[in-house]
Amino acid sequence: MHRPMEGVRILEVAQFTFVPAAGAVLADWGADIIKVEHAETGDAQRGLVRVLGLAAGKNGSSFAPIMEGPNRGKRSIGIALDKPEAKPILEELIKSSDVFLTNYLPSVAKKLGITLEDVRKINPDIIYVSGSGFGSEGPDADKGGYDSTAFWARGGSADGTTPDDADCVSFMPAGAYGDSIGGMTIAGGIAAALYGRKTTGEPSFVDVSLLAVGAWATQFNINLALLTGGPLPKVQKTTAAPGNPLTGNYRTSDRRWIQLSMLQPTRYWGEFATVIGREDLVDDKRFATMEAMFENKDAATNIIADTLAQRTYDEWVVAFKDMKGQWAAVQNAWDLGNDEALIANGRIVDLIDAEGNPQKLVANPVKFDNAPVQITRAPGFAEHTDEILRELGLDDDGLIALKIAGAVT
């Protein structure tokens, strides 16, 4: 069964990426995701026209990765949650859903009547899921946060990746970096809650914060700091393991990078020396044992650096392709989008946009039964309002009345 969530309905009252990314994963897995958007403006993320200094989409196309990534496969309905006329529609959607998924802060949720208590009064069996910056309890429960603040900065990754003598703190390596990781975490929590409800009959309140996801991602360092009783030493500019020149990154002639990670250097030294065209080093006594290599680590590091700097990134990728020693090309976003392993495993997926043009998106990392994931585009704003309302039993007169009242779009 490669779409294990088929038959599950999730009502998503959320915007931006963190929580909607969870809905996208669950849609990939087969769930029916009804996305509730603001009746006038829609998801606030639709208004972001530039990302990382680039246009969010291409001229003449509605396809914008910032919306497509976290919203593919969903249906959109525009509801004015603050209007009394919209209440019956929201209640019917809650009654017919297995999961209520939101990232609205407690104060806003209370104002709109979508708190845990409000939703459970309508559907006592529903699983209620809250994604937030800092968790549902404590002094920051009603404080908003993005992944750059809650996950990256406060969650430890910014400090952990910034060298001691840096002029500025390192920034996230990709847009919505923590949001995407957090969305996957929420999806896993929902799957567990659905299983728990099936086995015990009890619905869960699932709470996931960007701060908690950030702490989990850096748990190795946090646990070590708690054990030693203070902050850890700052990261150095080199990533090489002490005394092991076959770890760390080396620059190529075209200023790209190759990452080596051969934790048993003497085991791989002969093969590595041969691959880089330095057969004269295979039996070099300076590198014959761990003790000798440690004593001559600087010489080995300089030899490797000088040699790799003589050829291009692409040339070394080809040369190292069948090498048994562990290494990786330091890939950029374009490289990853064309990575043969991702493509072979169906993690770069084709889809058709609203204009009928072929596009590509990254699939979620979980694969079921080696079946290719099937992805459809993200919905246009309120694209499925009429369809969803008709499923709830409304006729034409009812639809018109709600639209006149401004309750739906």
Side-chain angles (χ1 to χ4, degrees):
M1 181 169 61
H2 65 279
R3 289 171 61 82
M5 290 293 182
E6 283 187 344
V8 174
R9 171 170 285 184
I10 296 172
L11 186 61
E12 178 187 297
V13 184
Q15 54 186 346
F16 294 107
T17 296
F18 172 38
V19 170
V25 171
L26 294 161
D28 283 1
W29 295 350
D32 175 21
I33 313 295
I34 296 179
K35 181 179 180 68
V36 174
E37 300 195 56
H38 189 282
E40 295 180 2
T41 60
D43 186 325
Q45 190 148 277
R46 292 186 186 275
L48 298 180
V49 296
R50 296 193 68 81
V51 184
L52 301 177
L54 303 172
K58 291 183 178 180
N59 290 335
S61 172
S62 62
F63 187 86
I66 192 172
M67 279 300 297
E68 296 289 338
N71 291 291
R72 73 283 192 96
K74 302 177 184 178
R75 296 192 290 166
S76 171
I77 180 172
I79 303 180
L81 295 177
D82 57 339
K83 289 186 176 293
E85 295 88 347
K87 282 291 184 183
I89 300 301
L90 180 64
E91 290 181 1
E92 288 302 313
L93 288 172
I94 291 172
K95 288 177 184 177
S96 65
S97 297
D98 296 287
V99 179
F100 185 88
L101 176 61
T102 188
N103 62 359
Y104 281 43
L105 293 171
S107 58
V108 178
K110 183 177 181 179
K111 181 179 179 181
L112 296 176
I114 55 171
T115 65
L116 171 64
E117 292 75 17
D118 295 326
V119 172
R120 285 272 172 84
K121 285 179 183 177
I122 301 167
N123 183 349
D125 294 324
I126 201 166
I127 293 167
Y128 190 99
V129 184
S130 171
S132 63
F134 307 102
S136 61
E137 299 180 287
D140 298 324
D142 209 34
K143 181 178 180 180
Y146 291 105
D147 60 346
S148 60
T149 57
F151 171 87
W152 186 254
R154 190 165 169 179
S157 291
D159 179 76
T161 57
T162 303
D164 193 33
D165 58 351
D167 295 327
C168 62
V169 173
S170 64
F171 195 60
M172 295 188 303
Y177 186 71
D179 287 341
S180 298
I181 297 171
M184 193 76 206
T185 305
I186 293 173
I190 290 173
L194 286 166
Y195 177 79
R197 189 180 68 177
K198 182 177 181 179
T199 56
T200 68
E202 295 294 326
S204 297
F205 167 53
V206 180
D207 177 32
V208 180
S209 73
L210 284 166
L211 177 61
V213 175
W216 177 253
T218 58
Q219 63 148 324
F220 181 93
N221 281 17
I222 298 171
N223 294 340
L224 190 58
L226 292 173
L227 176 68
T228 58
L232 302 182
K234 288 294 293 180
V235 66
Q236 302 302 308
K237 285 188 176 180
T238 178
T239 61
N244 185 353
L246 290 187
T247 64
N249 44 59
Y250 292 91
R251 179 163 267 174
T252 61
S253 63
D254 52 351
R255 301 186 67 77
R256 296 289 301 273
W257 294 93
I258 297 293
Q259 177 75 38
L260 305 181
S261 188
M262 297 171 226
L263 303 184
Q264 299 169 285
T266 53
R267 176 181 178 182
Y268 298 110
W269 179 258
E271 178 198 31
F272 179 77
T274 302
V275 169
I276 67 173
R278 291 297 306 269
E279 289 85 352
D280 58 302
L281 300 175
V282 172
D283 297 319
D284 193 315
K285 293 183 178 179
R286 293 177 298 170
F287 315 122
T289 65
M290 287 295 295
E291 292 77 9
M293 187 168 286
F294 181 80
E295 291 177 4
N296 297 285
K297 61 182 183 301
D298 292 338
T301 298
N302 291 335
I303 289 171
I304 296 171
D306 292 343
T307 303
L308 266 62
Q310 294 172 19
R311 298 170 68 179
T312 67
Y313 170 91
D314 289 339
E315 289 175 314
W316 286 123
V317 169
V318 172
F320 290 156
K321 187 173 181 61
D322 297 320
M323 185 171 64
K324 293 180 180 178
Q326 297 78 22
W327 70 282
V330 179
Q331 298 195 132
N332 57 35
W334 175 252
D335 296 328
L336 271 168
N338 293 278
D339 188 289
E340 60 183 9
L342 286 176
I343 293 171
N345 284 279
R347 300 303 92 186
I348 304 296
V349 184
D350 297 315
L351 72 159
I352 303 299
D353 67 17
E355 289 73 39
N357 302 311
Q359 304 286 357
K360 294 181 182 292
L361 285 177
V362 176
N364 77 86
V366 179
K367 185 165 63 167
F368 298 98
D369 303 318
N370 282 329
V373 64
Q374 297 174 339
I375 291 179
T376 57
R377 64 174 175 84
F381 166 51
E383 179 180 345
H384 302 96
T385 296
D386 289 6
E387 173 186 305
I388 294 169
L389 292 179
R390 291 187 190 282
E391 288 177 2
L392 297 179
L394 270 75
D395 57 16
D396 289 343
D397 291 339
L399 286 171
I400 292 171
L402 285 172
K403 289 183 179 182
I404 291 174
V408 300
T409 302

